[in-house]
Amino acid sequence: MNRPQPQPSHRTIVHVDMNAFFASVEQATNPALRDKPIAVIGAKDRTVVLTASYAAKACGVKTGSTVYEAKKRCPSVLFVTTNPYKYMDTSRRIMRIFQQYTPIVEVCSIDEAFLDVTGSLYLFSSAETIARRIKQDIGRTFHLTCSIGVAPNKTLAKLAANLHKPDGLVRILPDDVPQCLAPIPIDKICGIGPQTTKFFHAQGIHTCGQLQQIPRSYLKKKFGVAGEWLHDVAFGRDNARVIPADEEADPKSVGHSMTLKTDAETRAEIEMHLQHLSEMVGRRLRMGMFSGRTVAVTVRYSSFTSCTKRRTFYFDLRFAADIFHAARKVWQDMPMPEPIRLVGVSVSNLRIQMHQVPLFPDERRKLNVTMALDKVNNKFGEFTIFPAALLARNNRERTIAPSWRPHGIRQAIRR
DNA sequence: TCTGGGGTCCTAGGACCC
DNA sequence: TCTGGGGTCCTAGGACCC
């Protein structure tokens, strides 16, 4: 719920951003990699750089670079295959450190969090003290660095954290907001992406100071609600709350996608992948006690264009077989004019599935079997048990998304 | 030797109902 | 019989984030 909360005249928000997180974790746990240009990549063939170390960044290796590009730009780069569980575990432990300074911690990705420390200032004398202690704690415990921004709101705190990397600590005081913001390039603001930047650059607008001159009414007409937001952030205004884990909204969709080892040429191949993806989605839905009514299938063709089709059904979907059945129906309406490199299945229109005992015996049987399978898979890892039809698939490795949120953070941080 | 995967939010247009 | 208007739900696609 987005209920309004009484705001003190000035809030103090801290944003912590781990520096080159995946790469730094690898370097911290393997001294042979320290200070070297390294790039963390996915486990599969068609992968990209997930995180580059600072030495690798210095020679132009970026997140999203292909392995080939990375090697070309930095011949000495060392590639390390991603270790999702290591990053998740480290992330969880870091988030627990934040809880020592305020209960209001919003985990926004595996390596970033907002802390509302307004109410804890009297305990720690100043926000800078909190920031320095967090840096010390993380440095001592994990041999990792982070950049911290301190400001009166989230947008400015995030901006501040990004102004000095790695290992920065930047504070924007309420009274300094206008002067501080004026020279900042607009694309430094979180939420202003490449398209918006391109539009403004074409009009000769490069800085927040210049953006401030654009009438709010014009921005609203051009960008809708986003226009009003643009006008506000140009002046550094942002009332968004820091939302702690126990108030976090339920997810709106659950999905998985994967780039195939080689492009699929037949519809039957795609169906096999749909079945596999439906298994993964179904299990995650049940773990969260959700069911959904809308199924979306996404394919990306070899030309890199994509197509998404979705359909809403009149019944709840949470079992793999039902999701697969639905996904296959959706897929049947989709064209395959060329080979396909990526397939995805996503379920939305989610609702909480109360733990009811199904009315009909076969439904009940299905639930019991499914729950037994879930137990085994949750304990021993993905696809310890899976339908025989999937035996044909040879690679089952997964790459972690940096937007992953530590599962069970609620329990973890209360311990 | 090409281009990962997981999400959120917004918009526009159409169907349908009253 | 010459053309309303509000509301809701749905789909497709795009921008953006990490």
Side-chain angles (χ1 to χ4, degrees), chain A residues 161-183:
Chain A
N162 281 322
L163 289 179
H164 188 341
K165 283 187 171 185
D167 204 17
L169 170 46
V170 175
R171 171 148 206 194
I172 300 176
L173 291 164
D175 292 339
D176 298 341
V177 172
Q179 310 91 288
C180 180
L181 217 47

Side-chain angles (χ1 to χ4, degrees), chain A residues 292-346:
Chain A
R293 294 207 167 173
T294 304
V295 170
V297 173
T298 298
V299 294
R300 181 179 287 156
Y301 300 104
S302 42
S303 60
F304 226 73
T305 55
S306 10
C307 174
T308 300
K309 214 161 191 68
R310 32 166 93 67
R311 197 164 138 188
T312 301
F313 295 84
Y314 290 99
F315 44 89
D316 289 322
L317 298 158
R318 59 199 233 271
F319 298 111
D322 298 334
I323 297 169
F324 173 50
H325 189 72
R328 194 156 56 168
K329 276 202 165 134
V330 174
W331 163 238
Q332 278 162 5
D333 288 339
M334 297 172 74
M336 190 171 177
E338 50 177 321
I340 285 173
R341 60 175 289 130
L342 171 140
V343 192
V345 172
S346 169

Side-chain angles (χ1 to χ4, degrees), chain A residues 68-349:
Chain A
Y68 172 74
E69 270 169 356
K71 227 182 277 182
K72 203 168 89 178
R73 286 179 182 272
C74 181
S76 61
V77 70
L78 300 168
F79 293 106
V80 181
T81 306
T82 175
N83 288 291
Y85 293 106
K86 197 151 77 175
Y87 314 144
M88 289 188 227
D89 179 58
T90 309
S91 174
R92 255 183 224 122
R93 291 162 64 201
I94 289 170
M95 302 300 169
R96 247 179 271 168
I97 289 177
F98 301 155
Q99 291 279 319
Q100 295 167 12
Y101 297 95
T102 171
I104 310 174
V105 175
E106 179 176 334
V107 178
C108 38
S109 77
I110 191 164
D111 66 346
E112 279 185 31
F114 287 105
L115 287 65
D116 186 333
V117 299
T118 313
S120 349
L121 289 176
Y122 74 100
L123 287 172
F124 297 98
S125 81
S126 75
E128 281 94 337
T129 308
I130 294 176
R132 272 193 220 101
R133 284 182 57 171
I134 287 174
K135 279 168 159 297
Q136 276 172 15
D137 292 349
I138 293 176
R140 264 203 300 265
T141 317
F142 306 103
H143 305 290
L144 297 172
T145 64
C146 57
S147 288
I148 297 187
V150 181
N153 63 51
K154 287 165 86 175
T155 301
L156 291 173
K158 183 156 170 70
L159 171 70
N162 281 322
L163 289 179
H164 188 341
K165 283 187 171 185
D167 204 17
L169 170 46
V170 175
R171 171 148 206 194
I172 300 176
L173 291 164
D175 292 339
D176 298 341
V177 172
Q179 310 91 288
C180 180
L181 217 47
I184 299 286
I186 51 168
D187 59 348
K188 293 270 180 200
I189 302 290
C190 179
I192 302 185
Q195 295 304 315
T196 314
T197 302
K198 201 172 139 193
F199 171 83
F200 283 117
H201 281 184
Q203 320 237 337
I205 292 155
H206 293 85
T207 65
C208 290
Q210 292 172 313
L211 184 55
Q212 288 170 4
Q213 308 303 311
I214 313 292
R216 189 184 182 86
S217 54
Y218 171 80
L219 292 173
K220 191 183 173 185
K221 203 170 163 192
K222 179 78 197 159
F223 294 101
V225 283
E228 296 181 291
W229 174 84
L230 280 167
H231 191 257
D232 288 337
V233 293
F235 289 92
R237 297 175 197 137
D238 171 21
N239 288 324
R241 292 196 318 133
V242 175
I243 298 169
D246 57 357
E247 288 180 42
E248 207 184 297
D250 287 330
K252 307 257 187 301
S253 67
V254 170
H256 283 289
S257 64
M258 59 180 172
T259 296
L260 311 177
K261 209 167 180 166
T262 53
D263 292 0
E265 309 260 3
T266 66
R267 300 190 71 93
E269 275 175 86
I270 298 299
E271 291 203 5
M272 190 182 70
H273 295 302
L274 289 177
Q275 184 173 11
H276 176 234
L277 292 162
S278 301
E279 291 285 335
M280 295 162 71
V281 172
R283 193 151 68 78
R284 277 200 29 234
L285 282 175
R286 294 190 299 272
M287 274 167 63
M289 300 244 289
F290 292 108
S291 63
R293 294 207 167 173
T294 304
V295 170
V297 173
T298 298
V299 294
R300 181 179 287 156
Y301 300 104
S302 42
S303 60
F304 226 73
T305 55
S306 10
C307 174
T308 300
K309 214 161 191 68
R310 32 166 93 67
R311 197 164 138 188
T312 301
F313 295 84
Y314 290 99
F315 44 89
D316 289 322
L317 298 158
R318 59 199 233 271
F319 298 111
D322 298 334
I323 297 169
F324 173 50
H325 189 72
R328 194 156 56 168
K329 276 202 165 134
V330 174
W331 163 238
Q332 278 162 5
D333 288 339
M334 297 172 74
M336 190 171 177
E338 50 177 321
I340 285 173
R341 60 175 289 130
L342 171 140
V343 192
V345 172
S346 169
V347 174
S348 57
N349 227 328

